[in-house]
Amino acid sequence: MLGANLSSLEVAGMVIGVREGVLALIVVVALYIGLVLFRMLRLANKAAEQPPAVITDVPEKTLPADKTEAAPVINSTTEPRLEEVEPVKLESPPPGLANELLYEGMERELVQLRDEVEVMRGELSALREDMQHALAHLRATQTVSPIYGDAMQMAVAGYDAVMIAERCGIARAEAELVVALARSQVQ
């Protein structure tokens, strides 16, 4: 009978709740899966014991006298015979085929490697030029006195020669020389 709680059921003096119902359902499903797996294993064992068979005796079709093509007529009295499948015999490949394929594969790989080396050489030369340019810029900034270093930074920032001469305390001609040097390095 149903009690005050709708989530439980009383059967034969036992109270069955939702949890017990779900567990019973899980057990039933597990038993069903086990039964299906057992039947599948039996079928697999039977298939492994029997050799594959091929139908070899099929009656030929007969054609009516007035028509050139018609549906085949199969004689139902003769039963087709089942025989074992014979392995297919393949022709042996030519003796030099493996060496030729290997040689062609190696040639393709060599061409690909040469292309990759050329790309890497180009990248390396570009990196070398960038490094030499950065090194020359670094050497130029290290050998300059601090006043001219500040003047060079101002020239790179875009200040004019008069402003650089006033702030750094150098002659206007020297400031113009620094501005020209900065412009030549940017290009």
Side-chain angles (χ1 to χ4, degrees):
M1 291 278 183
L2 287 174
N5 190 355
L6 294 177
S7 65
S8 64
L9 178 68
E10 186 176 333
V11 176
M14 293 177 30
V15 177
I16 299 174
V18 175
R19 180 182 297 158
E20 289 84 10
V22 170
L23 288 175
L25 185 61
I26 290 172
V27 168
V28 169
V29 169
L31 288 174
Y32 178 73
I33 290 173
L35 178 67
V36 169
L37 288 175
F38 176 72
R39 290 178 68 193
M40 287 174 61
L41 285 174
R42 279 188 27 211
L43 285 175
N45 288 340
K46 281 184 182 180
E49 292 172 0
Q50 295 176 352
V54 175
I55 299 175
T56 58
D57 186 25
V58 178
E60 294 183 22
K61 59 182 175 181
T62 60
L63 297 175
D66 60 337
K67 296 191 176 187
T68 57
E69 274 192 47
V73 177
I74 299 176
N75 187 356
S76 62
T77 59
T78 61
E79 291 290 323
R81 294 187 317 235
L82 300 178
E83 295 181 3
E84 279 191 32
V85 176
E86 294 181 21
V88 178
K89 295 179 182 178
L90 299 175
E91 295 179 17
S92 62
L97 182 64
N99 290 335
E100 185 177 319
L101 290 174
L102 180 64
Y103 182 72
E104 288 175 1
M106 290 174 69
E107 280 182 341
R108 282 192 304 265
E109 189 173 342
L110 182 63
V111 167
Q112 181 182 1
L113 288 173
R114 284 181 178 165
D115 291 341
E116 290 176 5
V117 165
E118 283 300 315
V119 169
M120 290 175 74
R121 283 182 181 162
E123 291 175 356
L124 183 62
S125 67
L127 287 173
R128 184 179 297 132
E129 288 175 11
D130 289 345
M131 185 185 70
Q132 287 175 350
H133 185 308
L135 186 61
H137 183 66
L138 181 65
R139 284 183 183 161
T141 58
Q142 288 178 350
T143 58
V144 175
S145 71
I147 294 173
Y148 289 109
D150 293 341
M152 182 63 94
Q153 287 178 353
M154 290 177 68
V156 170
Y159 289 98
D160 63 340
V162 174
M163 180 70 74
I164 294 172
E166 288 178 10
R167 289 212 179 158
C168 294
I170 59 175
R172 182 189 270 178
E174 291 173 326
E176 288 175 1
L177 181 64
V178 168
V179 170
L181 182 63
R183 285 184 188 157
S184 70
Q185 285 185 353
V186 171
Q187 295 172 355

